[in-house]
Amino acid sequence: MGDFVKGRLDQRYPPDIERAIFVHRRIDSFTDRDVTVRESRRRIDPAFRLLRGILIDVFYDHYLARHWTRFSNEPLEMFTARVYAALAEHSDHFPAPLDWMAPRMAAEDWLSSYQDVEGIADVLARMSRRLSRRNPLGRGIDELKRHYVAFESDFFDFLPRLESYVSRLEGERRSHSVEGSERPIRQ
């Protein structure tokens, strides 16, 4: 939902969903400032302009799915099944675009398709069609192929910093919960 909910949250959603959106936004902000992610963006043809960040996000998701067994003992297929079940459980809170997309995502198992370059090509084509203006996003697969090894190296350089950041966020949440003063999310 983090990519579909815009503006202040102001308790529009249940607290656990608002917290997840808040964390998603913090991760996006952290990622945008990271030196390695910036280097990855610079590798992409400038013709992609603002879409370079979207491409890097999808490319890094590809490497995560491709190397899943390095990060989790749970098979990717079981993880994605849990994600799809959670989406179905909370669908009554979805903004319209996600409400339309989530069932298709589950039926076609989009998340598992991130393991393959062909799956990424499909993802980029779908994302390109969702944008209101004509754009080159669908051609982004050529950038992945052109810099495949460099992006993979960037991903492995970046991921430990992201994991550390998320651990700190989780520590902050636990510390506020223990004190009984979990602050409202206003972002």
Side-chain angles (χ1 to χ4, degrees):
M1 284 181 62
D3 289 331
F4 294 89
V5 174
K6 306 301 179 198
R8 295 173 63 100
L9 297 174
D10 293 332
Q11 302 170 342
R12 287 186 282 167
Y13 301 102
D16 58 332
I17 292 177
E18 288 206 0
R19 176 69 188 169
I21 293 169
F22 172 77
V23 169
H24 179 101
R25 290 175 178 182
R26 297 278 302 266
I27 288 171
D28 280 352
S29 180
F30 174 85
T31 300
D32 289 344
R33 294 187 313 268
D34 185 82
V35 64
T36 302
V37 174
R38 287 182 184 174
E39 184 60 32
S40 287
R41 272 194 224 117
R42 280 193 281 278
R43 293 183 203 289
I44 295 176
D45 186 315
F48 285 92
R49 293 186 185 82
L50 297 174
L51 300 174
R52 290 183 288 187
I54 294 170
L55 289 172
I56 295 306
D57 187 37
V58 172
F59 296 169
Y60 282 19
D61 285 347
H62 163 67
Y63 296 112
L64 178 62
R66 181 172 173 78
H67 298 289
W68 185 260
T69 57
R70 291 187 184 189
F71 309 110
S72 178
N73 292 325
E74 178 181 27
L76 180 61
E77 294 75 22
M78 289 178 68
F79 171 78
T80 59
R82 282 192 309 106
V83 169
Y84 299 140
L87 287 171
E89 179 183 342
H90 297 289
S91 64
D92 54 327
H93 299 292
F94 288 172
L98 183 56
D99 192 40
W100 175 88
M101 189 172 71
R104 285 158 188 76
M105 180 188 299
E108 298 171 17
D109 194 14
W110 292 1
L111 297 177
S112 290
S113 77
Y114 277 58
Q115 296 175 86
D116 305 311
V117 171
E118 300 79 26
I120 296 301
D122 292 342
V123 167
L124 294 174
R126 280 192 301 268
M127 291 175 91
S128 178
R129 289 189 299 268
R130 275 189 18 223
L131 298 176
S132 58
R133 292 186 197 170
R134 198 163 170 242
N135 64 77
L137 197 55
R139 293 191 312 271
I141 195 63
D142 296 333
E143 297 298 303
L144 176 63
K145 291 175 181 177
R146 189 163 59 114
H147 301 289
Y148 195 88
V149 172
F151 287 142
E152 187 172 43
S153 177
D154 292 349
F155 167 77
F156 281 111
D157 181 58
F158 164 71
L159 191 62
R161 287 191 301 281
L162 177 62
E163 289 174 315
S164 177
Y165 177 72
V166 170
S167 291
R168 285 194 312 273
L169 281 177
E170 183 60 23
E172 288 173 17
R173 185 192 66 77
R174 277 194 303 268
S175 123
H176 289 293
S177 293
V178 167
E179 296 168 8
S181 63
E182 182 105 34
R183 64 179 177 264
I185 298 167
R186 302 253 187 247
Q187 194 172 27

